[in-house]
Amino acid sequence: MTPTPRAHAFNTAAAQYAASRPSYPPALFASVEEFIGRPLADCRVADIGAGTGIATALLRERGARVIAVEPGGTMAAQFREALPDVPVVRGDGNALPLADASQDLITYAQSWHWTDTARSVPEALRVLRPGGALAVWWNTSAFDVPWIAAQDERVAAHCGGTPRSGRPRPDDGDAVRLAGLADLRVARRQVRWSRTVPLDTHLANISSRSAFLVLDAADNNAFLARERDHLRRLFPDERVAETYVVDLLVAARP
C-alpha cells in the first residue's frame, strides 16, 4: 500500500474489481485456523488493504469479528456498499490506524506486496495481541496449465513485463525472505483451487490488474479483443475454467 500510481489505479476500477476478481477457497481459511490453533469464530481480525471486501466477507462468514483497513476512497466506498455492517477505516498498512495489542489476527489478501516491510512488519506486531498471527496470501495463476502459461506470456508482452510463468515458484525460505518475515516463525501452505466463469468475467479480471490500469485504454481494448478471439477457440461455450494456487504465509507474533 505504498502510494504508487499502480497502487492507486485500483480506485479507477473498483466495481470491476469487485465483480471479476477471484475469491478464496475454504481450505485457505482452514489452513489459517490450523496454524493459529483455534477457529476464526470470535477472533478479532483486521483485514488490511481490504479492497472491495472479498476476503473480509469470507472471514466474517467464518464468524470472525472483522475490521477492514483500506487506503483507497473508491475501493472503500465499494466495500461499504457490499458490507455495510462491517467497519472499514481509511488507512495504510505501513501505519495502521489500530490500537496496540488489539487484534488476534491480521490478514493481507493480495495486498502485502504494496507495503514497506521495514514498516509494516513492526506495525503488525504492534497491533497483534500476544499469541496473535499475521497471515498474508496471494491468488497466483496455475502456470502448469498450458493455456494459462501461454496467456501469461501474452499479458506480459502487452504490459511490458516479464512472464510470471517463466519464474520458478520460490521455495519456502525464499518466500519468507521475499515477504520480509525472515525473523518470525512462519509456516507456508499452497492451496490449489479452480473456478469457471463467463468469458467476460475472465477478461474483466485480467484488465483489473494494476499493470493494465495504468496503460492506454485503447491499447488495452485492442488486446482484450484479440484475447477474446483466442479464448473463444479454447472455450467455445465462453465458460473459462481458471485454476489458481493460493500462496499463504502465516507468521506468529513472538
Side-chain angles (χ1 to χ4, degrees):
M1 283 165 292
T2 299
T4 66
R6 282 183 57 174
H8 286 304
F10 294 117
N11 281 301
T12 67
Q16 176 184 343
Y17 190 106
S20 64
R21 281 293 180 112
S23 185
Y24 305 102
L28 168 68
F29 299 98
S31 294
V32 173
E33 290 176 326
E34 178 184 344
F35 182 89
I36 65 176
R38 59 175 286 189
L40 285 167
D42 290 326
C43 274
R44 293 181 63 88
V45 181
D47 189 26
I48 315 301
T52 60
I54 295 171
T56 312
L58 296 173
L59 289 161
R60 189 185 62 165
E61 286 175 10
R62 296 185 82 96
R65 292 181 286 165
V66 190
I67 183 170
V69 176
E70 168 55 39
T74 308
M75 296 288 271
Q78 189 75 35
F79 181 105
R80 292 188 183 98
E81 182 176 327
L83 299 168
D85 57 339
V86 177
V88 55
V89 295
R90 298 288 299 281
D92 189 306
N94 297 323
L96 294 173
L98 301 170
D100 293 358
S102 61
Q103 304 298 318
D104 299 309
L105 177 68
I106 295 177
T107 60
Y108 282 81
Q110 311 290 133
S111 59
W112 182 249
H113 55 290
W114 295 115
T115 73
D116 172 4
T117 57
R119 300 167 64 194
S120 57
V121 172
E123 272 294 271
L125 297 179
R126 176 185 66 79
V127 169
L128 284 171
R129 292 175 169 174
L134 166 67
V136 302
W137 66 80
W138 295 268
N139 261 328
T140 63
S141 296
F143 296 122
D144 58 332
V145 178
W147 79 263
I148 293 177
Q151 182 181 73
D152 180 64
E153 293 181 0
R154 295 191 296 272
V155 169
H158 173 68
C159 295
T162 303
R164 295 174 299 162
S165 53
R167 309 173 202 163
R169 290 192 185 275
D171 62 24
D172 287 1
D174 281 342
V176 170
R177 178 181 55 79
L178 291 170
L181 303 174
D183 294 331
L184 303 177
R185 179 173 68 86
V186 181
R188 187 187 189 199
R189 184 75 55 85
Q190 293 181 318
V191 180
R192 191 179 183 94
W193 72 287
S194 62
R195 69 171 188 169
T196 299
V197 296
L199 176 56
D200 284 344
T201 301
H202 175 78
L203 293 174
N205 176 27
I206 291 174
S207 59
S208 74
R209 299 175 187 173
S210 59
F212 265 82
L213 295 173
V214 297
L215 298 178
D216 178 76
D219 289 344
N220 283 343
N221 290 337
F223 173 86
L224 293 170
R226 294 191 299 271
E227 198 62 22
R228 179 183 297 276
D229 290 342
H230 184 87
L231 291 172
R232 276 175 171 161
R233 293 192 289 272
L234 294 174
F235 302 99
D237 63 350
E238 298 196 9
R239 301 281 297 174
V240 180
E242 302 174 342
T243 304
Y244 295 95
V245 178
V246 184
D247 203 356
L248 166 69
L249 297 169
V250 188
R253 185 185 185 277

